[in-house]
Amino acid sequence: MSERPEAWPVLDHAELGSMLEYVNRVVQVAGKYSLDDPFEVGWGNIVLEVSPRGLRTPTFRRNGVTFTVHYRLLDGDVVIETDGAARTLSLGRTSVADFYTSFCEAATKLGIPHPRSAQICEIPAAPPNFEDDRAERVWDAHSARLIWEAFDLAAGGLEAWQAPFLGHRPRVGVMWGGFDLSATRWRPKRTDPGPKGPPFMRNAQLHEYVSVGFSFDNTHADGSSPLDIGMYAYIWPQPDGLTGRSWGVEGADWHPDLGLALLPWQNLRRLPDPHGAIVRFGDAVYEAAVQTAGWPSDLVGPRVDGWYMSEHQPSEHPEHVGHQG
């Protein structure tokens, strides 16, 4: 699939920063419900779907009520939808504290329990809890659209990369804590994450995995000047031999100080086929895992382009009618 570079927007962190701070906080409100769902390796149970209009939680079932929460970034509101009714909350001029209060009031009317945690996570400069964040937030529709568009475009590439993996792979989606779009491949080989780092990170590092994703803020480990918006990737545990490798795409490079391979958005959007570049970047990362960390190459099936169930007989197996991309 070929995309014109101008179809992928310019992203400027200085322009988007205020909205990123706001959206990152409010998606954590409904995101908290996912913490009480059955745990999936790598926190696959918590990811938010990139929907046609924003970000949506998984479907939850609490107290006999089935519901989902849709953060409609293109509409500037939040829809809590249940099997019995729905409520719409504005994301206009308000504070995180006021939004949280409105959310809990709406949940009560719908028969949904309040989120069991009000803690703001993984945002160092944020107040400790939703009720404490009283800074006025002004909705910027243009920035909100850019945030959604970046997630949507990156998700398309990551889903295509993830499709042929035969092992455990949680849904491609937005981790509402760090607010990054994540695609991970796991294998059942235990590791020792050690005592350092927050509990959620140590929990995720109990097994080996390869992660490819998109972030608006690939920040230095010491919290200093953020790097370019764009794609990131890493292998856990980090093997030796990653320096000097090719990462499949012009402009992608290894940053040993961060332990990340990075593909800046400004480079990605200029390529003739950004969607395909994300797939090639991910493939290069997995190949690095095969060559340096002993990952099995046979965990990846054929990538079939041009074979669609709507156009071919079910008896035609894609391995025989397509080709490896």
Side-chain angles (χ1 to χ4, degrees), residues 198-219:
F200 76 88
M201 183 177 296
R202 297 201 306 274
N203 195 303
Q205 293 174 341
L206 290 175
H207 297 86
E208 294 190 1
Y209 65 94
V210 175
S211 180
V212 183
F214 165 82
S215 176
F216 287 100
D217 189 12
N218 293 317
T219 308

Side-chain angles (χ1 to χ4, degrees), residues 47-297:
V47 297
L48 304 175
E49 172 197 4
V50 182
S51 77
R53 303 202 64 80
L55 303 173
R56 180 165 29 217
T57 69
T59 297
F60 301 120
R61 294 166 180 85
R62 301 286 189 278
N63 293 358
V65 179
T66 301
F67 69 100
T68 187
V69 181
H70 194 182
Y71 289 89
R72 302 197 309 174
L73 303 185
L74 303 191
D75 303 283
D77 60 25
V78 175
V79 179
I80 311 173
E81 186 177 17
T82 78
D83 51 32
R87 292 286 188 278
T88 301
L89 308 174
S90 174
L91 286 171
R93 187 182 295 270
T94 186
S95 68
V96 173
D98 288 342
F99 172 78
Y100 179 67
T101 297
S102 298
F103 183 93
C104 290
E105 291 173 350
T108 297
K109 293 177 181 178
L110 292 168
I112 301 169
H114 296 178
R116 294 176 63 185
S117 170
Q119 182 180 2
I120 299 175
C121 301
E122 298 184 61
I123 308 176
N129 297 302
F130 299 129
E131 301 98 319
D132 303 318
D133 194 332
R134 299 196 169 276
E136 183 181 68
R137 308 285 176 173
V138 179
W139 190 256
D140 180 341
H142 175 67
S143 294
R145 173 169 279 278
L146 286 175
I147 292 169
W148 170 82
E149 190 170 353
F151 276 141
D152 185 57
L153 290 167
L158 290 174
E159 287 165 357
W161 172 69
Q162 193 68 291
F165 187 63
L166 304 177
H168 177 65
R169 50 184 179 96
R171 293 174 300 119
V172 173
V174 174
M175 295 286 187
W176 47 257
F179 206 53
D180 61 307
L181 182 70
S182 175
T184 52
R185 295 178 174 183
W186 295 80
R187 65 170 173 170
K189 188 172 181 180
R190 293 281 299 209
T191 70
D192 180 10
K196 296 183 179 179
F200 76 88
M201 183 177 296
R202 297 201 306 274
N203 195 303
Q205 293 174 341
L206 290 175
H207 297 86
E208 294 190 1
Y209 65 94
V210 175
S211 180
V212 183
F214 165 82
S215 176
F216 287 100
D217 189 12
N218 293 317
T219 308
H220 284 286
D222 62 3
S224 62
S225 59
L227 298 172
D228 292 328
I229 294 169
M231 309 304 297
Y232 68 84
Y234 63 98
I235 301 166
W236 169 260
Q238 182 179 312
D240 296 327
L242 298 179
T243 300
R245 294 188 63 89
S246 170
W247 298 96
V249 182
E250 181 181 355
D253 201 6
W254 174 250
H255 293 252
D257 56 328
L258 300 172
L260 296 173
L262 299 177
L263 173 57
W265 183 270
Q266 61 183 354
N267 295 351
L268 177 64
R269 66 175 297 275
R270 295 191 183 108
L271 296 172
D273 179 11
H275 177 276
I278 292 175
V279 176
R280 294 195 303 275
F281 178 60
D283 282 348
V285 174
Y286 191 80
E287 182 62 20
V290 171
Q291 294 181 1
T292 67
W295 276 67
S297 58

Side-chain angles (χ1 to χ4, degrees), residues 286-309:
Y286 191 80
E287 182 62 20
V290 171
Q291 294 181 1
T292 67
W295 276 67
S297 58
D298 60 1
L299 268 181
V300 181
R303 177 169 292 113
V304 180
D305 297 320
W307 188 92
Y308 303 99
M309 182 66 77

